[in-house]
Amino acid sequence: MGYKDMVLYQDMTPTLLFAAVFSSLGAFTFGYDNNWWGGVIGSTYFNTQFGSGTKLDSKGNTVHTLSASDTSTGTALGTVGIMLGCMIAPFINERFGRKVSFFTLAVVGLVGSIVQICCTFNHNYWVLVGGKIIVNISVGMASAVTGVYQSECAPPRIRGALTNAYTVFNNLGTLLANVVMYIVNARTNSSVWLVPIAVQFIFPCIILVSAPFLPESPRWLASKDRHDDALRSLRRLRGASVAEEDLAVQLREITASIEHEKIIQSQLGWLQLFRGQDLRRTLVATGMLCLQQGQGISFTNNYLNITMLNLGFTNTYQLLVALYTGKWFITLFGFYLPDRIGRRPMVIFGAASMGTCMYIIAAVAAATNNKPTGALGNLTLASIFIWVLTFAPTWGALPWTIAAEISSQQLRAKTLATAAWGGYGVGLISNLVVPYIQGAAYGNLQGKIGFIFGSFSVISVIFCVLFVPELKGRSLEELDLLYEAGVPARKFATYDIAKLKSTPEAAEGDKAGSVFEEDTKVKKEILEA
């Protein structure tokens, strides 16, 4: 099969590629911020300038260092900023549109970077943390907006590939942060933190410039009765090769799936997320993002450098650059595998593999008193690499894809914001407690913390087998029908959707309390109009 036979080549257009790339720059900031922060808190000079604790250096001198409280609180407050951004995003996203949301998150990111630069004047750690909170509000907004926008712009056949762009840019930001920290970590001046902040400043500027040229989501435009604008947006996204009749059909399907929102608008508040079939969708979306964090991604983003130092590795910055270079390249498989293999088998395989790696890391740490050497040291390093490289195309990308796809049109922004908020809540807990349960002066688990994260991977496998449906190749409107009919998760991939479309009574299912309760008649009338 040649590349011209691939659906990604057939359905991708220049405008769609532009939308995928530039809407993902908020994810770039996310990956970059987490990892330059994780690198700088391991820098000796940064610790001596900003730390509130003290320790003896190799010469027996007393020097300042970041305490467990400094690293725990500073990192966790950044996560609080992400959660705030997730809460703010739906109000801007639904009222003013996706393009305005991108513009807003760029402005917020610029303000946060400026505040971070100001920490240099008196070496105030909490000014730096304050700027990090503001930057991460921007990151939280991007988390809640990007997946919604990309899933609404993408054709069904390549929706998984398009939403993978978020993860590709997240990992590219991660790689760049580690390269920057590799260059500056050994310096003994303020460039240790100013250079990473200066690089961080670039991404919001690019978003500001590109946002006006992004096509608005046709679904959002249709929800505002701007049908002509929605049709023009579809034309830009689908390209000149798609016939006007096909575009008109797509627009009618979009309109039919959202028209009832105007009729039962009072039922579509935040509480609607927890009623009828919408509860099922909310729990899957939230569960995926909570388990993404629970398996250890906040730990690897923020504390992997420190953990590797504690385990006796000395060339950690070089190792991290090599690791995240591999991670970025393997993430590119996410453009192909989700729409070829499917979401469900990938997340099940990923969780099983990641859990195995974490248990190996923990077992070696327990057997060697957290000082693995020789073959066991190599095994630990290999397990860390395999965990990260497995995470990238599976649990790095797909929880966001699944959360964006699985929600109903009327509740998509709210569902993704709620799921992201829940996931980052788990990340907040992780960032708060990891320095204490790992630290030698407290819990002293160090590498044995892998037992905790590995157990979450076991839970993830069970959760995905029981509750996560296969979404590959389904349009968002078809997913609505499958949920309306109460189809079990394990049957989504093979269920005959034509039966639901041709037999209205078969689609009745369990609509009680859901947004679809009064919808069938309305949709039918619209389609017949």
Side-chain angles (χ1 to χ4, degrees):
M1 182 178 70
Y3 71 92
K4 291 186 177 180
D5 297 320
M6 297 175 63
V7 294
L8 183 60
Y9 176 84
Q10 293 171 355
D11 289 2
M12 184 62 72
T13 65
T15 301
L16 194 58
L17 180 61
F18 172 76
V21 169
F22 286 94
S23 65
S24 297
L25 289 179
F28 198 109
T29 303
F30 187 10
Y32 183 85
D33 174 80
N34 270 342
N35 283 269
W36 86 259
W37 179 261
V40 81
I41 61 178
S43 164
T44 300
Y45 183 74
F46 181 84
N47 273 259
T48 61
Q49 298 301 304
F50 288 92
S52 64
T54 57
K55 69 173 184 179
L56 296 178
D57 64 12
S58 59
K59 299 179 181 179
N61 300 319
T62 300
V63 295
H64 283 284
T65 187
L66 293 173
S67 66
S69 176
D70 291 336
T71 56
S72 169
T73 307
T75 305
L77 285 175
T79 307
V80 170
I82 296 176
M83 296 172 71
L84 288 173
C86 291
M87 294 173 65
I88 295 168
F91 300 101
I92 301 174
N93 209 17
E94 292 183 6
R95 179 160 185 170
F96 300 105
R98 299 6 176 180
K99 291 175 63 173
V100 172
S101 295
F102 287 122
F103 182 86
T104 304
L105 68 87
V107 172
V108 172
L110 287 174
V111 172
S113 296
I114 292 171
V115 172
Q116 285 184 309
I117 291 172
C118 294
C119 77
T120 308
F121 297 133
N122 58 1
H123 289 189
N124 189 314
Y125 178 72
W126 300 109
V127 172
L128 182 65
V129 171
K132 179 176 174 60
I133 294 172
I134 299 173
V135 169
N136 282 0
I137 289 175
S138 170
V139 166
M141 293 178 67
S143 299
V145 172
T146 306
V148 172
Y149 175 75
Q150 291 176 343
S151 67
E152 291 178 345
C153 290
R157 295 199 303 172
I158 62 168
R159 193 171 58 243
L162 195 73
T163 54
N164 183 62
Y166 181 94
T167 304
V168 169
F169 277 86
N170 185 301
N171 289 330
L172 190 58
T174 296
L175 174 59
L176 179 61
N178 281 283
V179 170
V180 171
M181 288 311 305
Y182 170 69
I183 294 171
V184 304
N185 81 89
R187 295 182 183 180
T188 54
N189 55 49
S190 59
S191 65
V192 170
W193 60 89
L194 285 180
V195 170
I197 294 172
V199 174
Q200 179 179 264
F201 201 85
I202 297 172
F203 316 132
C205 292
I206 297 175
I207 297 173
L208 280 179
V209 173
S210 62
F213 302 100
L214 287 173
E216 183 56 89
S217 161
R219 295 177 186 274
W220 181 81
L221 290 169
S223 73
K224 300 300 180 182
D225 291 330
R226 295 169 57 182
H227 298 114
D228 291 341
D229 290 336
L231 190 59
R232 279 192 289 270
S233 183
L234 274 174
R235 164 56 64 204
R236 287 186 64 193
L237 290 165
R238 299 296 182 261
S241 62
V242 179
E244 288 296 331
E245 295 79 6
D246 293 335
L247 291 177
V249 170
Q250 290 183 39
L251 182 58
R252 283 200 299 271
E253 289 180 349
I254 291 171
T255 304
S257 72
I258 63 175
E259 185 64 27
H260 72 282
E261 181 177 358
K262 301 170 184 177
I263 299 174
I264 54 172
Q265 184 67 42
S266 61
Q267 299 179 22
L268 297 183
W270 288 87
L271 290 178
Q272 184 61 45
L273 293 171
F274 308 102
R275 295 173 180 157
Q277 285 295 322
D278 297 308
L279 172 62
R280 181 181 167 197
R281 302 167 90 152
T282 301
L283 292 178
V284 172
T286 305
M288 288 299 294
L289 292 183
C290 286
L291 290 170
Q292 180 192 53
Q293 296 287 332
Q295 292 180 84
I297 184 56
S298 287
F299 161 72
T300 57
N301 279 342
N302 294 297
Y303 299 118
L304 184 57
N305 183 39
I306 294 174
T307 299
M308 291 172 69
L309 288 169
N310 290 338
L311 290 173
F313 297 101
T314 55
N315 56 337
T316 57
Y317 288 99
Q318 296 96 314
L319 288 173
L320 289 173
V321 170
L323 173 60
Y324 287 111
T325 299
K327 181 183 180 185
W328 184 78
F329 276 108
I330 204 168
T331 304
L332 298 177
F333 285 102
F335 286 118
Y336 175 74
L337 294 179
D339 292 315
R340 178 70 175 179
I341 298 175
R343 286 72 157 149
R344 181 178 160 94
M346 287 184 66
V347 292
I348 292 172
F349 168 80
S353 301
M354 289 154 55
T356 301
C357 291
M358 279 293 182
Y359 280 134
I360 291 173
I361 294 168
V364 171
T368 61
N369 194 28
N370 289 303
K371 295 297 179 183
T373 58
L376 290 179
N378 291 334
L379 178 60
T380 297
L381 190 61
S383 297
I384 292 172
F385 269 58
I386 292 171
W387 189 98
V388 172
L389 296 179
T390 302
F391 176 87
T394 57
W395 283 85
L398 293 179
W400 292 103
T401 300
I402 291 170
E405 292 176 329
I406 209 166
S407 54
S408 63
Q409 158 65 28
Q410 296 77 19
L411 299 171
R412 185 162 292 117
K414 291 184 175 70
T415 301
L416 194 58
T418 301
W421 198 89
Y424 289 128
V426 174
L428 171 62
I429 296 170
S430 174
N431 289 332
L432 279 172
V433 303
V434 163
Y436 291 102
I437 62 179
Q438 271 197 294
Y442 300 95
N444 198 30
L445 282 183
Q446 297 189 38
K448 289 178 285 190
I449 197 172
F451 284 126
I452 297 175
F453 295 127
S455 298
F456 273 102
S457 290
V458 173
I459 295 171
S460 300
V461 171
I462 297 171
F463 178 84
C464 292
V465 168
L466 295 179
F467 303 113
V468 177
E470 181 53 71
L471 310 176
K472 179 184 71 171
R474 300 290 194 188
S475 71
L476 299 179
E477 290 73 33
E478 287 175 346
L479 295 179
D480 283 347
L481 284 174
L482 290 166
Y483 268 106
E484 288 179 48
V487 176
R490 68 183 184 277
K491 295 183 179 180
F492 264 52
T494 58
Y495 201 87
D496 184 6
I497 195 71
K499 180 180 178 182
L500 295 181
K501 291 181 175 180
S502 62
T503 312
E505 58 271 15
E508 287 298 316
D510 179 17
K511 291 187 181 182
S514 75
V515 296
F516 305 105
E517 190 171 5
E518 301 179 31
D519 192 39
T520 303
K521 181 179 177 181
V522 174
K523 285 185 178 179
K524 191 173 180 181
E525 291 175 351
I526 295 167
L527 287 172
E528 290 176 351

